[in-house]
């Protein structure tokens, strides 16, 4: 009996290994609970229904205010106070967003101001904003739409800073604007999924098969530590037209020394199913692996996973008493899309029929906002807004939701369209049909992203 009991006693190595795994999962903020769960087919779960067009009005409890809902309103023409700056006065705007420089014949898109119902937005005060940023590090994290908002904020502030006291530098995925006299930085970090992905190269990221690594937010998050104000966004890159491919994360780098010293007899004779599953898991997790363990998730489930990882990172790395965290909702497009292989491309026909335009059009040649207050573009997935509401409501992490989706939905006129730097030569067919290459995703500057920053300013200073 003594011999049997001795054989059944778990080896001390097992406790050492499992203890290290637990420590690493807590220290690095990864979610490894899925290791101990059986595989599922990850089909889309049933989401509670809501009236079409009203989902955008749902706010989490921490966002509900006794006063005015600044995200609910209308666009009014304003030639006195718009634009807030001139395109030529801001040298930081990328050539993809300089619509006047690239031949846009009118400036109507610059002359609209967002007017909430029942109240007014506070006037953007660049001097006050800079004072609030004194000694602080502000960071925008996400995709090119968040980069557009980042550049907009720099344009709104930089004229108050002497030329010798400001600079803009780029380091791979990170761009840093420094206001030296204020000891402040405003930064942008390219992470279109927030999690690690095979689209993380800040310059070359048009890959044919998008894959996101589960539990990998610290790959990027280590660069965010120390930020005082963070503005997250992520949406566009999740919309692939099919299920998302999720790569299992690996901790082999961290546990390899322990595995190396485990006796061969222990590894061969151990019948612990959990340990075997863990060890198998550790052998995968790199985008460069010839054999990858990849699962498919619905867009909604994958997006939920990313939001939960983001909130977990904030909880573990930011002091809610000293910092502010914002999350910007989806930015709409005004064009149809199709899937070519696994690359999402703008299609030749548009969505203009949705707002009462001629069939086959998109944002090209549009010069006025949509005046139908109930308009909600078909590209803005209600199910994603629902996921945001569900995840944020259940979280105890203090986060301010910037609900820019509905107000941006009206602005079919504000896209860069064809008035931007074209990185590839246009074909004769494209030149003959501008609708076919109009960019109806990104926004001219000055323009709509300035309003997003007015809303950010209001929430940052007065909420």
């Amino acid at each position: 009996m003594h011999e049997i009991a001795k054989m059944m006693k778990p080896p001390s190595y097992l406790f050492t290994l499992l203890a290290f795994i637990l420590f690493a999962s807590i220290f690095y903020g990864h979610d490894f609970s899925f290791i101990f769960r059986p595989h599922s087919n990850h089909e889309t779960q049933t989401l509670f229904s809501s009236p079409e067009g009203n989902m955008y009005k749902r706010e989490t409890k921490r966002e509900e205010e006794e006063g005015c809902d600044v995200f609910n309103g209308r666009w009014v023409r304003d030639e006195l106070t718009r634009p807030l700056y001139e395109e030529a006065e801001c040298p930081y705007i990328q050539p993809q967003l300089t619509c006047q420089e690239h031949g846009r014949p009118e400036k109507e898109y610059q002359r609209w101001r967002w007017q909430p119902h029942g109240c007014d937005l506070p006037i953007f005060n660049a001097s006050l904003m800079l004072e609030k940023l004194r000694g602080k590090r502000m960071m925008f994290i996400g995709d090119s739409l968040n980069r557009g908002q980042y550049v907009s904020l720099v344009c709104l502030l930089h004229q108050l800073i002497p030329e010798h006291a400001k600079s803009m530098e780029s380091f791979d995925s990170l761009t840093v604007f420094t206001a030296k006299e204020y000891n402040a930085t405003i930064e942008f970090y390219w992470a279109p999924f927030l999690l690690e992905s095979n689209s993380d190269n800040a310059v070359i990221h048009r890959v044919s098969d998008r894959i996101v690594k589960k539990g990998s937010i610290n790959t990027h998050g280590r660069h965010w530590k120390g930020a005082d104000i963070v503005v997250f966004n992520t949406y566009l890159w999740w919309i692939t037209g099919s299920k998302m491919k999720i790569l299992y994360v690996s901790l082999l780098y961290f546990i390899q020394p322990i595995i190396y010293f485990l006796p061969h007899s222990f590894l061969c004779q151990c019948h612990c199913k959990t340990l075997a599953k863990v060890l198998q898991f550790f052998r995968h997790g790199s985008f460069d692996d010839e054999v990858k363990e990849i699962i498919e998730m619905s867009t909604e489930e994958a997006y939920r996973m990313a939001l939960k990882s983001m909130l977990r990172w904030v909880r573990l790395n930011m002091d809610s008493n000293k910092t502010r965290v914002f999350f910007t909702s989806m930015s709409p497009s005004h064009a149809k899309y199709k899937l070519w292989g696994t690359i999402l491309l703008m299609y030749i026909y548009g969505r203009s029929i949705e707002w009462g335009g001629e069939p086959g059009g998109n944002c090209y040649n549009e010069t006025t906002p949509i005046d139908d207050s109930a308009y909600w573009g078909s590209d803005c997935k209600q199910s994603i807004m629902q996921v945001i509401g569900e995840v944020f409501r259940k979280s105890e992490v203090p986060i301010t939701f910037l609900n820019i989706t509905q107000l941006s939905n009206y602005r079919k006129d504000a896209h860069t369209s064809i008035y931007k730097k074209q990185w590839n030569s246009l074909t004769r067919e494209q030149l003959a049909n501008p609708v076919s290459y109009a960019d109806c995703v990104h926004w001219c500057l000055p323009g709509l992203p300035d309003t997003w920053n007015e809303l950010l300013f209001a929430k940052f200073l007065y909420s």
Side-chain angles (χ1 to χ4, degrees):
M1 292 291 293
H2 176 72
E3 292 297 324
I4 295 175
K6 186 176 180 181
M7 292 174 62
M8 294 178 62
K9 183 179 179 181
S12 59
Y13 305 109
L14 177 60
F15 294 110
T16 302
L17 178 60
L18 294 179
F20 184 84
I21 294 169
L22 179 61
F23 167 77
S25 65
I26 295 173
F27 184 79
Y28 290 98
H30 292 296
D31 179 11
F32 302 118
S33 59
F34 65 95
I35 299 174
F36 305 98
R37 295 197 300 265
H39 282 281
S40 65
N41 57 7
H42 294 279
E43 293 298 326
T44 306
Q45 64 186 82
T46 302
L47 302 173
F48 63 83
S49 60
S50 64
E52 185 72 11
N54 287 330
M55 176 59 70
Y56 72 92
K57 295 181 181 178
R58 298 200 173 201
E59 298 281 340
T60 62
K61 290 182 180 179
R62 63 179 55 86
E63 293 155 3
E64 293 173 353
E65 300 177 349
E66 295 180 359
C68 174
D69 177 8
V70 293
F71 303 108
N72 186 19
R74 69 189 190 282
W75 289 99
V76 296
R77 200 167 187 280
D78 183 351
E79 294 190 12
L80 295 178
T81 67
R82 305 290 133 156
L84 297 178
Y85 56 90
E86 294 294 336
E87 177 184 300
E89 296 173 352
C90 186
Y92 307 107
I93 307 175
Q94 307 101 306
Q96 301 96 304
L97 308 178
T98 50
C99 298
Q100 290 298 306
E101 179 183 348
H102 289 91
R104 183 155 181 168
E106 40 75 36
K107 293 185 176 182
E108 288 301 303
Y109 65 95
Q110 298 181 4
R111 298 190 174 111
W112 294 92
R113 173 174 55 83
W114 180 247
Q115 177 62 57
H117 295 314
C119 63
D120 294 319
L121 273 178
I123 297 173
F124 186 90
N125 187 322
S127 177
L128 179 57
M129 185 69 176
L130 283 169
E131 282 300 329
K132 290 293 184 181
L133 293 177
R134 184 180 291 277
K136 291 183 171 56
R137 181 187 181 201
M138 183 177 190
M139 179 173 277
F140 290 79
I141 300 165
D143 59 25
S144 57
L145 294 159
N146 216 22
R147 180 169 54 204
Q149 184 176 357
Y150 158 74
V151 173
S152 163
L153 183 60
V154 171
C155 291
L156 288 165
L157 298 177
H158 88 98
Q159 287 190 325
L160 294 186
I161 306 171
E163 198 65 35
H164 69 274
K166 58 189 174 186
S167 65
M168 176 86 86
E169 298 176 282
S170 293
F171 313 91
D172 297 325
S173 295
L174 182 66
T175 302
V176 181
F177 176 81
T178 302
K180 299 175 185 177
E181 293 181 349
Y182 292 87
N183 189 29
T185 61
I186 307 171
E187 308 175 21
F188 169 75
Y189 187 92
W190 170 263
F193 294 99
L194 302 184
L195 303 177
E196 184 183 359
S197 77
N198 62 346
S199 304
D200 288 341
N201 188 299
V203 178
I204 305 171
H205 43 248
R206 291 189 177 184
V207 298
S208 60
D209 194 16
R210 296 177 187 175
I211 304 174
V212 177
K213 185 185 289 188
K214 182 180 175 70
S216 61
I217 197 163
N218 282 297
T219 300
H220 298 309
R222 59 195 175 95
H223 300 285
W224 312 338
K225 290 183 178 181
D228 301 286
I229 306 110
V230 174
V231 184
F232 290 104
N233 96 310
T234 183
Y235 173 70
L236 182 66
W237 285 70
W238 296 94
I239 309 305
T240 64
S242 60
K243 290 188 175 184
M244 285 298 305
K245 292 185 177 181
I246 309 299
L247 175 67
Y248 269 23
V249 66
S250 173
L251 273 183
L252 184 59
Y253 175 83
F254 302 107
I255 70 155
Q256 192 170 13
I258 290 180
I259 294 179
Y260 179 80
F261 287 107
L262 288 175
H264 182 267
S265 59
F266 169 71
L267 293 174
C268 294
Q269 297 175 13
C270 178
H271 298 291
C272 175
K273 292 183 179 180
T274 298
L275 180 59
K277 200 171 185 180
V278 169
L279 293 176
Q280 181 184 15
F281 162 74
F282 286 147
R283 297 190 182 101
H284 300 281
S286 170
F287 294 110
D288 298 325
D289 289 346
E290 291 185 8
V291 178
K292 302 181 184 69
E293 188 167 1
I294 292 177
I295 60 174
E296 289 189 342
M297 288 185 181
S298 69
T299 300
E300 289 78 9
E301 188 174 359
Y303 194 81
R304 186 187 303 274
M305 173 191 72
L307 289 187
K308 287 183 176 180
S309 292
M310 178 194 75
L311 292 174
R312 187 183 306 111
W313 185 90
V314 170
R315 176 173 55 82
L316 294 174
N317 294 281
M318 298 189 73
D319 183 349
S320 60
N321 295 317
K322 299 179 181 179
T323 61
R324 289 292 301 273
V325 180
F326 299 86
F327 184 84
T328 305
S329 66
M330 65 186 77
S331 171
S333 67
H334 292 86
K336 284 282 189 181
Y337 292 91
K338 72 173 182 178
L339 203 63
W340 179 57
T342 53
I343 305 177
L344 199 64
L345 296 177
M346 201 170 298
Y347 201 19
I348 191 170
Y349 66 85
R351 291 204 352 252
S352 54
I353 195 170
E354 292 184 8
W355 58 77
E358 293 295 324
N362 55 20
C363 69
Y364 174 67
N365 262 355
E366 294 290 349
T367 57
T368 58
I370 296 169
D371 58 7
D372 178 5
S373 62
Y375 175 77
W376 181 273
S378 59
D379 69 299
C380 295
K381 298 187 71 170
Q382 297 278 358
S383 57
I384 292 295
M385 292 294 278
Q386 186 169 324
V387 168
I388 295 172
E390 290 173 356
V391 172
F392 285 4
R393 274 196 296 272
K394 293 178 182 178
S395 173
E396 296 301 320
V397 175
I399 187 166
T400 302
F401 184 45
L402 298 177
N403 195 350
I404 56 94
T405 305
Q406 181 65 63
L407 64 92
S408 303
N409 252 308
Y410 302 136
R411 296 305 307 275
K412 60 181 172 59
D413 60 309
H415 290 287
T416 54
S417 185
I418 66 172
Y419 306 107
K420 55 179 284 186
K421 181 178 177 59
Q422 304 293 338
W423 298 105
N424 298 310
S425 299
L426 298 172
T427 66
R428 291 182 179 179
E429 291 78 9
Q430 287 176 313
L431 291 171
N433 182 17
V435 170
S436 66
Y437 68 94
D439 181 349
C440 298
V441 172
H442 299 97
W443 310 93
C444 300
L445 287 180
L448 176 62
D450 303 326
T451 297
W452 300 350
N453 280 317
E454 288 181 290
L455 293 163
L456 172 63
F457 173 79
K459 290 291 185 178
F460 179 45
L461 269 72
Y462 300 109
S463 293

